[in-house]
Amino acid sequence: MGAKLGQRLNWVVLFFAVGHPAWGAEIRELVPVIRQDKISVSFRMTEAFSEDVERAVASGLPVTFRYTIQLKRVRTVWLNQKVTTRHIHTTVTYDNLTERYKLSREINGEIDATEVVSDVAAMRRFMVTMESMELFDTSLLEPNGEYYLRVKGIVRDRNLFLFIPWDVGSGWEKRYFTYLP
């Protein structure tokens, strides 16, 4: 009986360990703004730079943070409807010779911005802060419809037991809004 209880406890611990965000990473300050025919999105991820991430950056290996931004329509009777999704990848590569950080941001696989900076604070800001990013078109929305944005950040990709994919990052953050044209 004791061995079965121990095995069950291991599964419970594993379930909660996989289901929780790592390092306390969180999406904060999520703000959707509708201007003319676009929906701009601003947010930042806190606590993204753990010791492991900082070591990886300092080694010169490329480090990529991935963000998934979903626009969903609220339904009262059925499951909420996903309208569209955007993926943002921010990548930093440290050059040990020049002591500069090469930064790039992609939105759905297309280069949006590149920078080269020497300041650590500027590098961190680029990696975790998205300001007024025009990500969605209002033509996807119905007037007076209830919607929400959902954002999740992935700091590191890992595999549990070498074969189970396990993303490490923040949990989902949501912001509701009504589209009034």
Side-chain angles (χ1 to χ4, degrees):
M1 186 75 166
K4 284 188 177 186
L5 179 62
Q7 188 177 23
R8 286 183 186 150
L9 283 174
N10 285 340
W11 281 110
V12 169
V13 169
L14 177 64
F15 173 78
F16 284 107
V18 170
H20 289 289
W23 310 307
E26 292 183 52
I27 299 295
R28 299 284 184 147
E29 302 168 19
L30 173 57
V31 180
V33 175
I34 299 173
R35 288 194 187 116
Q36 296 170 352
D37 60 346
K38 298 288 182 191
I39 302 171
S40 298
V41 180
S42 299
F43 63 89
R44 71 183 175 92
M45 184 164 53
T46 62
E47 305 298 323
F49 284 91
S50 67
E51 289 180 23
D52 288 344
V53 172
E54 287 184 7
R55 274 195 301 271
V57 170
S59 73
L61 293 172
V63 173
T64 300
F65 292 176
R66 299 177 319 174
Y67 300 94
T68 300
I69 302 98
Q70 295 179 341
L71 175 61
K72 291 192 167 196
R73 181 180 168 95
V74 177
R75 293 186 185 172
T76 55
V77 179
W78 195 247
L79 298 174
N80 293 333
Q81 174 189 10
K82 182 165 51 170
V83 177
T84 188
T85 300
R86 297 288 183 265
H87 299 280
I88 299 176
H89 295 181
T90 57
T91 302
V92 58
T93 306
Y94 181 65
D95 186 337
N96 290 310
L97 296 175
T98 63
E99 296 182 350
R100 291 182 172 209
Y101 301 93
K102 179 183 173 188
L103 304 167
S104 67
R105 180 174 49 235
E106 295 180 12
I107 300 176
N108 282 357
E110 305 221 354
I111 298 289
D112 175 62
T114 60
E115 288 184 37
V116 177
V117 298
S118 55
D119 182 40
V120 174
M123 176 271 293
R124 286 178 177 223
R125 193 170 35 257
F126 184 93
M127 293 294 290
V128 299
T129 305
M130 306 299 139
E131 293 180 9
S132 300
M133 309 271 308
E134 289 185 352
L135 297 178
F136 304 106
D137 192 2
T138 57
S139 66
L140 301 169
L141 308 180
E142 294 179 21
N144 301 316
E146 296 289 325
Y147 294 89
Y148 65 91
L149 284 172
R150 194 167 98 134
V151 178
K152 180 177 184 168
I154 303 298
V155 177
R156 297 198 56 166
D157 298 321
R158 291 190 178 173
N159 289 317
L160 185 63
F161 303 124
L162 302 176
F163 61 91
I164 301 173
W166 176 26
D167 294 331
V168 178
S170 73
W172 289 100
E173 180 68 20
K174 290 182 189 178
R175 281 297 173 271
Y176 290 86
F177 66 95
T178 301
Y179 176 54
L180 301 171

